[in-house]
Amino acid sequence: MVPETENRSNTDVNTENIFEEFETDADLQTEVKKIEENQQKDMYYYLHLSGRIIKSLNILLLLVFIVAASYFYIQKSEDAIDLSFAQPICRVFLWDASDKVGNCSGVFSTLATYQKQTSTRMQEQYVQVLPMIEEIYGVYNFLESRYVAFLVEQSDERIRPIEVLSAFDTLKNEFEPILKSNIQCRDFVISEGNVLKAKCEAFTSRLDDRIVWFSGNRSGDAFVEGTSASLAASFLNYIERKSEKFLLLNKQKEFTVERVSGQGTYVKKTTFTLELQYVGDNLIL
């Protein structure tokens, strides 16, 4: 007989071997399963997988087509479609104009509404203006009549002696604002076309060092020294270059200097003629 202790020892060893075999069988089954799955992924498997992907893409494209078709239908429809539910995203339909439109709708529908409103408003304005057309036409005919044209022509071409003399006095004071007696004019004649003629005299005390030079400026080194002839020429040049209301006609080019007495501190004078045309504010440089 076998001792009882030896039997017990054999029994324990056999039990541990059984569990190890079970674990080995499980790993083996997993590997076998993987091998079988890899073998099953043949051409039919990939065809089936490709079919599912294509089907999903078709469904997605169909949804995109439906959304796009609905969007273009709403945009091109001239009938008012209630899109109050899309008010939060109305900018998708009307872009920047969505902030100026009360109700959300398509572009063509909104445009048709505004065109109708504009047409109605134009008709209302036409009805309001119509009674005034006859009166406006009568006033226009009167303004274009030969009587009014004659009065306007005579008014534009009339002689304005006070206005001309006042403008000339202002011009002379601008040229010589301090020693105004340096330039003295007399025998004024104002003829048709507001042409001013006068005889003038320029006076100096020996050599004057404050004569305006060719540029016509009155500041800095624009002053030069000269006689009464230089002063007379400077005055004519000043009118030609700086005056905004007179045109210089027949500019004198030759000057003579005369000695004078009994004129205060003045010892020399130059006589020259002046011919100007008054143009007022119509001078175009």
Side-chain angles (χ1 to χ4, degrees):
M1 292 186 60
V2 179
E4 185 176 353
T5 54
E6 184 178 354
N7 291 333
R8 290 178 181 175
S9 176
N10 292 333
T11 302
D12 293 338
V13 172
N14 293 333
T15 301
E16 291 178 358
N17 291 336
I18 290 173
F19 285 117
E20 290 179 357
E21 290 178 359
F22 283 153
E23 292 177 356
T24 303
D25 292 341
D27 294 338
L28 183 60
Q29 290 178 359
T30 302
E31 293 180 359
V32 171
K33 187 175 182 181
K34 288 181 179 181
I35 293 172
E36 291 178 351
E37 289 177 354
N38 290 332
Q39 291 177 349
Q40 290 177 356
K41 290 182 180 180
D42 53 5
M43 181 180 64
Y44 297 102
Y45 170 79
Y46 288 109
L47 287 175
H48 178 69
L49 181 60
S50 301
R52 293 179 60 183
I53 294 174
I54 293 174
K55 182 178 179 181
S56 300
L57 289 175
N58 287 336
I59 294 174
L60 181 61
L61 290 175
L62 180 61
L63 292 176
V64 172
F65 174 79
I66 293 173
V67 172
S70 301
Y71 177 80
F72 286 110
Y73 172 77
I74 294 173
Q75 291 290 68
K76 292 186 177 182
S77 177
E78 295 185 0
D79 298 329
I81 300 177
D82 185 14
L83 296 178
S84 56
F85 65 91
Q87 191 67 38
I89 58 171
C90 191
R91 182 175 290 269
V92 175
F93 295 95
L94 297 178
W95 303 289
D96 294 339
S98 60
D99 299 332
K100 303 177 183 178
V101 178
N103 298 324
C104 187
S105 60
V107 170
F108 275 57
S109 176
T110 303
L111 184 60
T113 301
Y114 273 87
Q115 288 177 343
K116 183 177 180 180
Q117 292 177 355
T118 302
S119 177
T120 303
R121 186 171 300 177
M122 290 178 62
Q123 291 179 359
E124 293 175 353
Q125 292 176 349
Y126 176 77
V127 172
Q128 293 174 355
V129 172
L130 186 60
M132 297 186 292
I133 294 180
E134 182 178 357
E135 184 177 353
I136 295 173
Y137 184 74
V139 172
Y140 178 78
N141 278 347
F142 174 73
L143 293 176
E144 294 296 326
S145 65
R146 61 175 181 168
Y147 302 106
V148 175
F150 172 78
L151 292 175
V152 171
E153 181 180 356
Q154 294 300 317
S155 177
D156 291 340
E157 295 182 358
R158 76 181 188 278
I159 298 176
R160 304 181 177 88
I162 297 178
E163 185 177 342
V164 172
L165 291 175
S166 177
F168 177 76
D169 187 60
T170 300
L171 173 65
K172 191 169 77 70
N173 291 337
E174 289 175 352
F175 174 74
E176 186 52 81
I178 300 176
L179 301 176
K180 299 181 181 180
S181 59
N182 284 2
I183 301 291
Q184 300 178 18
C185 296
R186 66 182 186 277
D187 298 338
F188 290 97
V189 176
I190 302 176
S191 58
E192 184 179 358
N194 292 311
V195 175
L196 171 67
K197 295 181 180 180
K199 293 181 180 180
C200 298
E201 293 176 335
F203 292 90
T204 57
S205 302
R206 295 182 177 85
L207 291 179
D208 192 343
D209 60 354
R210 301 287 294 175
I211 297 177
V212 179
W213 185 229
F214 185 74
S215 63
N217 296 324
R218 296 191 55 82
S219 61
D221 57 354
F223 295 103
V224 296
E225 188 177 47
T227 63
S228 59
S230 300
L231 181 62
S234 175
F235 182 52
L236 294 178
N237 179 72
Y238 183 83
I239 295 174
E240 186 176 32
R241 288 182 170 274
K242 295 296 182 179
S243 178
E244 296 180 354
K245 295 189 176 182
F246 287 98
L247 288 175
L248 180 62
L249 306 176
N250 300 324
K251 182 178 180 181
Q252 184 173 327
K253 297 181 180 180
E254 295 182 359
F255 303 91
T256 59
V257 178
E258 303 176 23
R259 290 187 175 274
V260 295
S261 61
Q263 294 288 339
T265 60
Y266 297 126
V267 296
K268 296 180 180 180
K269 78 171 183 178
T270 295
T271 302
F272 61 98
T273 58
L274 198 62
E275 186 175 356
L276 308 175
Q277 182 177 17
Y278 178 70
V279 294
D281 297 326
N282 298 321
L283 179 60
I284 301 177
L285 299 178

